[in-house]
Structure formats: structure tokens, C-alpha cells
Amino acid sequence: MDYQVKSIRTFIGAKDYQESRNFYKELGYEEVVLFHNMCLFRVNENLAFYLQDYYVKNWIDNSMVFLEVDDVEKCHDDVKNRGLHKKYDKVRLSEIKTLEWGREFFLHDPCGVLWHFGEFKK
């Protein structure tokens, strides 16, 4: 390529758009409203994803996002301490698993999107 790539962003859907918006704000992500049915959530300055008021069960049930972190234990503690898995009926939080490539835990959002939070072996 003879051009610079600046970002890559996924689109995820929501069964209950307002509930998902609240969930991601409470997870600590910054919301930027783009349209009445779509917003951008910034994880940090360079990482973001689009949340849309659109739901197809088969699509959502097969949606996964991997977020690499530098310290999976600190990340897990942060997510756990926010208590979202207790506040939202369908949100599920796993414990950290150690695998051959590194460590990760899982978080299902309110409509079922599966987030992998992982730290690769150094």
C-alpha cells in the first residue's frame, strides 16, 4: 500500500439501542452521536466502533470483537467493578482464562455481542 491506514472500525447492532448505548457509556467508552440510529463509541483516541439501532438475531449471535489490552487482570477488575453483569439481565462476564497464546476473558453485551478482552504472551 502506498497510503496510510488510520483506523479500522466494526459495526455492531443492538436489539434495544438505548440499553446498549447506556451499557457502553457505563463501560467507559465515549459516545459520539452520528444519527438518530447510529453512534460511534471511542475506546480511546485511536480505537472505536459503530453501534447501530439495527438487529438481526443471526448476525448479532455471531458478532465478536477482540480488544487487546496490556494488562488483562486490571481490565477484568475494572469491568467487574463496574457491575454491568449485575445491572443488565443479559450481560455475562467470564473469569480470565489462560490459553497457549495468552490470557482473555469474555463479556457479552446486552443483546449478545461477544467481546474478547485479551493480552498476548510477551
Side-chain angles (χ1 to χ4, degrees), residues 12-108:
I12 62 174
K15 188 170 190 175
D16 181 329
Y17 184 58
Q18 189 59 49
E19 180 183 48
S20 290
R21 289 176 66 198
N22 291 340
F23 170 80
Y24 285 111
K25 287 187 274 190
E26 291 180 54
L27 191 55
Y29 300 159
E30 176 191 356
E31 179 186 36
V32 178
V33 176
L34 302 173
F35 308 104
H36 73 281
N37 60 351
M38 183 186 293
C39 54
L40 174 75
F41 275 97
R42 290 191 178 137
V43 178
N44 64 30
E45 186 177 313
N46 298 315
L47 301 174
F49 63 93
Y50 296 102
L51 178 71
Q52 51 191 336
D53 187 8
Y54 184 73
Y55 179 79
V56 175
K57 182 176 178 11
N58 193 38
W59 171 48
I60 296 299
D61 287 351
N62 289 288
S63 290
M64 292 186 280
V65 181
F66 184 90
L67 184 67
E68 181 183 358
V69 298
D70 66 346
D71 188 325
V72 77
E73 286 187 33
K74 280 185 181 177
C75 180
H76 187 265
D77 288 346
D78 178 62
V79 172
K80 188 174 185 177
N81 289 337
R82 291 174 187 269
L84 302 176
H85 58 294
K86 296 176 182 175
K87 181 177 180 177
Y88 294 89
D89 289 337
K90 296 181 182 174
V91 171
R92 295 188 317 268
L93 174 65
S94 77
E95 293 301 318
I96 298 171
K97 296 180 182 190
T98 301
L99 305 162
E100 61 188 43
W101 57 266
R103 301 172 72 210
E104 74 175 338
F105 69 91
F106 307 110
L107 179 69
H108 287 86

